């Protein structure tokens, strides 16, 4: 897989999830096993804004031609997915999330693996 393909897929997922969390924060919270209280809805919308910005960053980053620029996008992608994976696992261990959170664990792990692969492949898998 090329970095361009990976960043395209990553951006589409981030934008779709971001829009879903922005427009439907209550049902999104309920899916993960928590009551959609007003303060959680606000936090979910903050999370949505971050996902949307991340999605736009990766969307534009997919067209970068210089390896240093692509690398500058892939490093934050790696950090976001690693931290998201750890936070989600922590939430599950603490009993704060339903079993639906396993889907998030899987997505974070897959995107983390993709980002690490693209970083390790370097400039030879750029296009």
């Amino acid at each position: 897989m090329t970095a361009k393909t990976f960043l395209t897929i990553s951006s589409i997922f981030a934008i779709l999830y971001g829009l879903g969390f922005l427009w439907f924060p209550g049902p999104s919270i309920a899916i993960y096993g928590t009551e959609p209280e007003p303060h959680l809805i606000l936090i979910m919308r903050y999370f949505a804004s971050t996902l949307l910005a991340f999605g736009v960053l990766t969307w534009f980053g997919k067209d970068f031609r210089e390896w240093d620029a692509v690398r500058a996008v892939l490093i934050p992608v790696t950090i976001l997915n690693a931290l998201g994976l750890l936070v989600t696992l922590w939430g599950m261990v603490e009993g704060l999330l339903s079993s639906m959170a396993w889907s998030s664990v899987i997505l974070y792990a897959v995107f983390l693996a993709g980002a690490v692969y693209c970083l390790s492949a370097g400039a030879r898998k750029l296009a």
Side-chain angles (χ1 to χ4, degrees):
M1 173 184 302
T2 65
K4 181 174 183 157
T5 302
F6 171 74
L7 290 173
T8 301
I9 294 168
S10 180
S11 68
I12 291 169
F13 269 84
I15 290 169
L16 290 176
Y17 271 82
L19 290 173
F21 292 155
L22 182 67
W23 290 335
F24 308 106
S28 298
I29 292 168
I31 287 172
Y32 288 96
T34 306
E35 291 296 317
E37 299 170 9
H39 64 283
L40 293 178
I41 289 174
L42 178 63
I43 290 169
M44 183 62 83
R45 286 192 167 132
Y46 276 125
F47 180 53
S49 67
T50 302
L51 277 177
L52 288 169
F54 174 76
V56 170
L57 171 75
T58 54
W59 181 260
F60 285 107
K62 73 180 176 45
D63 293 325
F64 293 164
R65 299 196 185 277
E66 297 294 323
W67 170 244
D68 288 341
V70 173
R71 186 174 172 270
V73 173
L74 287 171
I75 290 170
V77 169
T78 304
I79 293 168
L80 177 132
N81 285 293
L83 292 176
L85 177 63
L86 291 174
V87 169
T88 305
L89 287 171
W90 174 79
M92 294 192 71
V93 168
E94 292 293 318
L96 302 173
L97 302 169
S98 71
S99 59
M100 180 62 181
W102 281 112
S103 64
S104 294
V105 168
I106 292 167
L107 282 175
Y108 279 127
V110 166
F111 283 111
L112 175 60
V116 169
Y117 170 77
C118 288
L119 280 170
S120 67
R124 64 183 185 275
K125 283 286 195 171
L126 183 57

